[in-house]
Amino acid sequence: MIFTVAIDGPAAAGKGTISRAVAAHFGFAHLDTGLLYRAVAARGGDPVAAAQALSPEDLARPGLRSLEAGAAASRVAAIPAVRAALARFQRRFARAEGGAVLDGRDIGTVICPEAEVKLYVTATPEVRARRRWLELGGDEAQVLAEVMARDARDMGRATSPLRKATDAEVIDTSDLSAEAAVARAIGIVRDSLAKSRIA
Ligand code: C5P
């Protein structure tokens, strides 16, 4: 069975939690595509060459989850040739046998517009900044400024900007517990799977 769940949205909206839970629930493979961009930035040197040579060891580097690594990732992610170098791997992953969940910024719009389920997971900048701050510490106002700067970069770039696919379902997690957000996502995927089995 080929079945893709595309989960897009801004930083710290809850995509990772939802993606992991959906993948575990349905036994699908999961790809955190943000990690690819983080690893490209962390390799240093020419970002296009880094994207072309990316290896599984690069994805296991320590420190990839930090705020700085996220900011560096969003800079290299604006380079069209970096995105092109990473696209083929992501497309193959999305359409591999057995079902796949991919989370990122452009999965439902660019990488896999044919995805069977598209979710756009979002929350207010203040709620997202608070979550990042609880997770990583530091100065909360500074974390909010960085979240907003990253939103502006990811939504404002010319190539594959972050935007909701027209046919994506929105899950706003501002006032939802993680459990409630996961339950909504699982319900949407379950309905779509049931329909695709009938069809
Ligand atoms: O999701 P995460 O915070 O790990 O992503 C880091 C950065 O990588 C994002 O801010 C974005 O610029 C970039 N990214 C992207 N397209 C994706 C996933 C991540 O441009 N599919």
Side-chain angles (χ1 to χ4, degrees):
M1 178 200 52
I2 291 172
F3 191 95
T4 310
V5 182
I7 303 187
D8 292 305
K15 300 187 301 293
T17 303
I18 292 175
S19 304
R20 282 189 297 275
V22 167
H25 185 89
F26 293 99
F28 294 170
H30 171 228
L31 181 64
D32 167 4
T33 65
L35 205 56
L36 304 175
Y37 294 91
R38 287 170 183 260
V40 165
R43 254 182 92 119
D46 171 27
V48 178
Q52 284 163 347
L54 208 64
S55 70
E57 295 80 68
D58 290 315
L59 303 181
R61 260 172 206 271
L64 289 183
R65 302 277 173 197
S66 70
L67 273 182
E68 297 71 25
S74 87
R75 288 193 192 94
V76 299
I79 303 168
V82 166
R83 306 197 71 83
L86 299 175
R88 218 159 84 106
F89 171 71
Q90 294 176 76
R91 289 199 178 112
R92 282 226 186 113
F93 191 99
R95 299 316 264 171
E97 188 57 41
V101 181
L102 289 86
D103 69 287
R105 303 293 187 288
D106 63 340
I107 308 303
T109 51
V110 175
I111 296 296
C112 194
E114 69 274 37
E116 282 72 16
V117 174
K118 294 182 191 176
L119 303 178
Y120 189 81
V121 180
T122 189
T124 65
E126 290 74 17
V127 166
R128 292 186 285 118
R130 173 148 288 236
R131 284 184 194 147
R132 266 296 131 88
W133 173 69
L134 288 172
E135 194 186 315
L136 300 171
D139 174 51
E140 194 176 352
Q142 177 71 25
V143 175
L144 175 59
E146 287 183 20
V147 160
M148 292 175 80
R150 192 126 74 89
D151 284 358
R153 235 188 338 259
D154 289 348
M155 293 173 184
R157 69 183 173 220
T159 308
S160 306
L162 168 64
R163 59 181 175 78
K164 183 185 101 55
T166 48
D167 51 350
E169 292 219 34
V170 176
I171 300 182
D172 186 330
T173 66
S174 303
D175 298 314
L176 282 185
S177 66
E179 293 72 26
V182 164
R184 268 204 61 191
I186 287 177
I188 293 167
V189 174
R190 187 185 293 123
D191 288 351
S192 172
L193 268 172
K195 277 190 205 126
S196 71
R197 281 181 180 136
I198 293 164

